[in-house]
Amino acid sequence: MRDGYEAEEFAEGGGAREDGAAAQERTFAALPPAPGRGFAASWWGKAWLKALEDTALDLQQLKAGRRVAREGGVGAVSVRPGRITAVVRERDGSTYRSDVLLQELDEQEWDRFLGMAAERTGHIAALLDRDMPPHLVEDAAAAGMDLLPGVGDLEPRCTCEAWDHCPHTAALCYQVARLLDQDPFVLMLMRGRGERMLLGGLQERIAAAAGVPEVTTEESVPDPVTGIPADQAYAAGSILPGLPAPPALPGEPGPAPSLDTETDPEAGIDPTALEMLARDAAARAHRMLADALAPGHEGRPVPEGLTVRQDAVRLAAEARPEPWIAHRLSGGAGKTRAGLPAAVAAWRYGGATALAVLDEDRPLDGEALARARSRLAEAWEEDEAPRLRAERNRWTSADGGLQLRYGPDGRWNPYRKENGQWFPAGPSDDDPAAAWAEALGV
């Protein structure tokens, strides 16, 4: 244990800190009064208080210390390796500088601890969750290290010059039990290693075990590591710092570059078409980012990729190309120039699913046909139902001008005949009557 009493300055106030050169010291703002409550809820906080209560010779001093702590008489608490410090105020306004010393672990002990923790990274993951599993303490003890204090390990120092635990050092210990409940890394810091230093040492251990190279000059760069065992990668992930917050979604896609320059394009390359593709790519990236940032994104299935024909229709629908580019896209979509507008309308109403309904003329199997007929029968009263002629997956009006198409997703798609061509008349609907109203233009 350290000898002598260090009289360094200590001021009340300030929040918890652990950065830069001060990584091995943390200062916690004074905790509020705690009338009528226990000072420790966690098992390790209670073990800390047991070490105090088993050490103190005068139980009346402990009782007075509990009173001072409950009344909020303990100021800001400074925690650093081997020592906790606070200014304690009595009811009469008198103040005392109080310290409690705890033996630090030496380098060999920390080396054994890091070796043990690198093999059992669940212990460190628990600490990061502000929990101290009993197995951590047991494994450390088996490696020859006592993390929690025992009888006689908490050595008091106070300017009241008491030789045993006085009300002031007792109050400090009771207050520190509350801090330990919130963050068991406080105990690690008292034993000699703060959270940042401890995790840094552990990351070095795991990287070394995984064979990650250190160095290096340009002349001695080793062959790149092709991979590490999955269990080591998973273990390292539990102690790495969290990812930064995702960036905010821009208000709109970025502008496409202008290719209108004095330099003539290469043969076969059209700048107008490239600019359209660049605008489309920016718009798609913006939509994808918005989707990725939306709540629940991680639980959604990955969308299927588009075929070349589907993507040609999508471009015609979303990029609003020049007429001559739309003509080229119609070929890519497998459509005539006159047939592309219907495909574009289908895409705008329902994407790839609606486009499939436009292109398909398929028979229904027995179960799907029965389900479709049941929905049609339920949609209208008997005297209100339109006269429909059924053929494959299509139900057409008696005059041949309107149509309902039953899609592979079990929804009804309204169609209207215009200039001899069937044209999507609205989005699909689960209710055939609602889809029919769309076809009617109601």
Side-chain angles (χ1 to χ4, degrees):
M1 190 64 68
R2 298 180 182 179
D3 295 324
Y5 185 76
E6 301 170 7
E8 65 266 48
E9 297 274 335
F10 180 75
E12 294 193 46
R17 60 187 174 85
E18 184 176 358
D19 52 6
Q24 287 297 91
E25 179 177 356
R26 297 177 68 182
T27 301
F28 296 85
L31 294 175
R37 56 152 283 174
F39 285 96
S42 64
W43 73 268
W44 58 91
K46 293 176 180 177
W48 166 270
L49 291 182
K50 187 176 187 303
L52 166 69
E53 293 165 356
D54 289 349
T55 299
L57 301 178
D58 189 341
L59 297 183
Q60 291 303 314
Q61 299 281 56
L62 293 185
K63 183 177 179 180
R66 285 195 294 271
R67 174 186 57 77
V68 172
R70 288 191 190 284
E71 294 174 352
V74 180
V77 177
S78 173
V79 182
R80 48 198 190 283
R83 182 184 292 266
I84 54 176
T85 306
V87 172
V88 181
R89 188 182 306 275
E90 288 274 22
R91 284 179 174 176
D92 61 4
S94 57
T95 58
Y96 301 88
R97 153 71 185 265
S98 297
D99 293 70
V100 174
L101 311 185
L102 179 64
Q103 182 68 47
E104 298 177 47
L105 300 180
D106 60 31
E107 290 298 321
Q108 291 75 24
E109 290 172 320
W110 276 116
D111 188 65
R112 294 199 300 274
F113 179 86
L114 290 173
M116 177 270 295
E119 296 176 356
R120 300 174 179 84
T121 53
H123 291 339
I124 302 301
L127 286 175
L128 290 171
D129 286 336
R130 296 328 188 227
D131 182 27
M132 180 179 285
H135 292 312
L136 169 61
V137 177
E138 294 169 3
D139 289 347
M145 299 161 292
D146 292 322
L147 295 180
L148 289 166
V151 176
D153 287 346
L154 300 178
E155 184 176 343
R157 296 279 199 279
C158 187
T159 53
C160 75
E161 299 184 353
W163 63 273
D164 187 25
H165 275 287
C166 62
H168 317 117
T169 58
L172 172 57
C173 286
Y174 281 111
Q175 207 71 316
V176 167
R178 295 172 66 185
L179 297 179
L180 287 172
D181 266 4
Q182 300 169 12
D183 187 356
F185 275 110
V186 170
L187 177 63
M188 297 298 183
L189 178 55
M190 282 188 271
R191 285 301 196 184
R193 296 284 175 94
E195 179 176 353
R196 186 172 300 175
M197 179 178 286
L198 179 60
L199 296 182
L202 190 57
Q203 288 178 24
E204 291 177 2
R205 283 299 187 98
I206 292 176
V212 177
E214 292 178 6
V215 171
T216 87
T217 62
E218 293 183 0
E219 293 77 16
S220 60
V221 175
D223 293 336
V225 177
T226 57
I228 62 174
D231 58 341
Q232 294 181 10
Y234 181 81
S238 66
I239 63 167
L240 294 175
L243 295 174
L249 179 70
E252 58 186 14
S258 173
L259 301 180
D260 184 14
T261 66
E262 296 180 358
T263 304
D264 293 333
E266 295 287 337
I269 295 180
D270 187 277
T272 304
L274 281 180
E275 289 179 359
M276 182 204 72
L277 290 174
R279 285 194 302 273
D280 175 69
R284 292 181 68 195
H286 189 267
R287 287 196 301 271
M288 291 171 68
L289 180 58
D291 185 57
L293 295 176
H297 169 75
E298 66 282 358
R300 299 174 192 162
V302 177
E304 295 184 8
L306 301 180
T307 65
V308 172
R309 291 190 172 191
Q310 289 172 333
D311 199 46
V313 175
R314 182 197 65 79
L315 275 170
E318 297 177 359
R320 303 189 183 277
E322 298 287 339
W324 67 268
I325 298 178
H327 177 60
R328 292 179 61 182
L329 288 173
S330 66
K335 304 290 181 183
T336 64
R337 188 169 187 175
L340 183 62
V344 166
W347 185 271
R348 289 175 180 166
Y349 282 131
T353 302
L355 185 61
V357 172
L358 172 71
D359 292 336
E360 292 177 354
D361 179 10
R362 58 186 177 85
L364 297 179
D365 60 40
E367 183 179 347
L369 182 60
R371 188 164 52 248
R373 285 174 172 170
S374 175
R375 293 306 310 274
L376 286 167
E378 296 169 355
W380 292 278
E381 296 294 336
E382 186 174 348
D383 58 343
E384 296 177 351
R387 295 177 56 197
L388 300 176
R389 182 181 71 256
E391 185 178 2
R392 296 179 179 270
N393 68 326
R394 304 178 181 188
W395 277 259
T396 309
S397 64
D399 62 5
L402 302 177
Q403 191 177 81
L404 291 178
R405 297 189 180 185
Y406 191 68
D409 56 355
R411 295 173 64 85
W412 299 88
N413 297 259
Y415 273 75
R416 186 182 303 119
K417 185 171 281 189
E418 299 179 5
N419 299 322
Q421 180 184 1
W422 286 110
F423 212 86
S428 67
D429 200 293
D430 189 55
D431 179 8
W436 188 254
E438 287 280 357
L440 289 168
V442 177

